[in-house]
């Protein structure tokens, strides 16, 4: 592990992040990929970006308001949240 070093950009580990652990990965110059010291995840920059982008699904609805959760087999109804309505 003495060779471990950070890449030019720090990316968080998508595999750890899904378990609510926010940890930076290291970069392997030879393999041209990022890897995590905490779990077994490793992947190219594209892969990391794609996975981290996918993880945004957790926060996708941060700016939405759920109107109706509906039935389990249907998507909930949402609208853009515009802040509290004036009363
Ligand atoms: Zn990890």
């Amino acid at each position: 592990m003495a060779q471990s070093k950070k890449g030019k950009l720090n990316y968080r580990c998508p595999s750890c992040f899904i378990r609510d652990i926010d940890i930076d990965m290291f970069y392997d110059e030879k393999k041209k990929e990022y890897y995590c010291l905490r779990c077994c995840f490793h992947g190219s920059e594209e892969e990391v970006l794609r996975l981290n982008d996918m993880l945004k699904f957790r926060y996708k609805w941060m700016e939405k308001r759920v109107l109706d959760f509906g039935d389990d087999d249907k998507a909930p109804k949402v609208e853009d949240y515009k802040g509290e309505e004036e009363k």
Side-chain angles (χ1 to χ4, degrees):
M1 291 302 174
Q3 301 296 309
S4 294
K5 60 183 202 132
K6 300 267 182 175
K8 46 193 181 323
L9 283 170
N10 288 348
Y11 290 116
R12 63 164 51 113
C13 172
S15 180
C16 288
F17 188 57
I18 206 157
R19 280 169 287 162
D20 281 331
I21 299 158
D22 194 358
I23 189 161
D24 284 343
M25 289 188 293
F26 288 91
Y27 186 67
D28 188 326
E29 291 275 2
K30 268 185 256 143
K31 291 187 190 162
K32 301 259 182 264
E33 63 178 24
Y34 288 85
Y35 63 97
C36 178
L37 289 182
R38 201 180 173 283
C39 71
C40 58
F41 178 85
H42 60 95
S44 64
E45 183 168 5
E46 296 81 68
E47 211 170 348
V48 171
L49 287 175
R50 186 176 57 82
L51 286 167
N52 275 340
D53 205 57
M54 243 170 65
L55 290 173
K56 287 182 191 157
F57 81 90
R58 300 182 89 190
Y59 307 108
K60 189 173 69 174
W61 283 358
M62 219 158 63
E63 285 163 22
K64 304 272 186 200
R65 168 170 278 183
V66 176
L67 299 173
D68 183 6
F69 285 99
D71 297 325
D72 284 349
D73 60 341
K74 304 219 176 66
K77 277 187 204 135
V78 292
E79 66 171 13
D80 291 330
Y81 183 64
K82 303 174 199 86
E84 292 300 321
E85 274 154 47
E86 300 284 329
K87 291 223 170 91

